[in-house]
């Protein structure tokens, strides 16, 4: 094989590796967007203001959410003094406020969500939207018809 042919083969192999890496990276990004795992910015459904950055994580095939950063000035040291369970008197920062969610078809449900403002715990469901960039979250009592919805944005 001539030197010129070797250079062409090497260039082709390098191009294939680069393109293959881009395809693999695109596949990894697509997988991330199909999962709720990651950091989300919560938006208050009443005021429309940014409230917190929360992390959804998976543990034992269930999904949970923890408050990682509070975006409301003055709330950084707030305590959940209205909570009625083991989260009572715990700092809001770091609080696991969504628990035990399971994937069922294209929706996640079966767990609960805590409103740290009131201490109330609601049944919960959520669904990915906008190609995984938005999470539509609904907390409710009894039937989903009686509840509140929020839109969270992937960070």
């Amino acid at each position: 094989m001539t030197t010129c042919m070797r250079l062409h083969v090497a260039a082709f192999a390098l191009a294939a590796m680069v393109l293959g890496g881009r395809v693999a990276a695109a596949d990894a990004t697509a997988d991330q967007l199909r999962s709720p795992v990651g950091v989300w910015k919560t938006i208050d459904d009443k005021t429309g203001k940014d409230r917190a950055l929360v992390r959804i994580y998976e543990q034992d095939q269930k999904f949970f959410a923890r408050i990682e950063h509070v975006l409301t000035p003055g709330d950084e040291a707030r305590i959940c003094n209205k909570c009625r369970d083991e989260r009572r008197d715990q700092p809001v920062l770091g609080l696991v406020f969504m628990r035990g969610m399971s994937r069922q078809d294209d929706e996640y449900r079966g767990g609960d969500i805590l409103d740290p403002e009131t201490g109330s715990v609601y049944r919960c469901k959520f669904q990915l939207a906008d190609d995984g960039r938005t999470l539509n979250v609904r907390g409710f009592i009894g039937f989903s018809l009686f509840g509140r919805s929020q839109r969270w944005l992937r960070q």
Side-chain angles (χ1 to χ4, degrees):
M1 189 182 299
T2 68
T3 303
C4 185
M5 288 176 71
R6 284 189 200 123
L7 288 174
H8 280 99
V9 168
F12 179 76
L14 180 61
M17 286 189 303
V18 168
L19 289 175
R22 287 186 181 165
V23 169
D27 286 346
T29 300
D31 286 344
Q32 289 171 345
L33 293 176
R34 285 190 289 265
S35 168
V37 171
V39 176
W40 298 87
K41 179 169 54 175
T42 67
I43 300 169
D44 190 286
D45 56 308
K46 294 178 181 173
T47 66
K49 293 183 179 180
D50 300 344
R51 293 296 308 260
L53 295 179
V54 302
R55 178 172 304 279
I56 295 180
Y57 61 96
E58 187 175 3
Q59 180 179 318
D60 299 325
Q61 299 179 339
K62 301 274 185 187
F63 295 87
F64 299 80
R66 165 180 64 244
I67 299 171
E68 293 225 328
H69 184 72
V70 179
L71 300 175
T72 304
D75 278 358
E76 299 87 359
R78 199 172 86 202
I79 301 296
C80 194
N81 54 15
K82 294 185 179 179
C83 292
R84 298 179 195 113
D85 58 16
E86 72 278 357
R87 295 171 283 196
R88 182 175 182 78
D89 296 329
Q90 298 298 313
V92 170
L93 192 60
L95 190 70
V96 176
F97 70 100
M98 182 190 293
R99 309 179 295 191
M101 305 296 292
S102 298
R103 183 173 183 162
Q104 297 176 16
D105 298 320
D106 65 341
E107 192 171 70
Y108 296 80
R109 55 177 49 235
D112 60 42
I113 189 166
L114 166 74
D115 180 351
E117 296 284 324
T118 65
S120 298
V121 177
Y122 302 96
R123 293 175 59 195
C124 183
K125 67 179 186 174
F126 64 81
Q127 188 171 31
L128 290 160
D130 301 325
D131 294 325
R133 292 177 185 83
T134 302
L135 197 66
N136 295 320
V137 181
R138 182 141 182 94
F140 56 95
I141 297 173
F143 297 102
S144 180
L145 181 64
F146 304 108
R148 292 173 45 193
S149 295
Q150 288 186 345
R151 193 180 98 229
W152 298 358
L153 304 175
R154 190 182 291 275
Q155 297 301 290

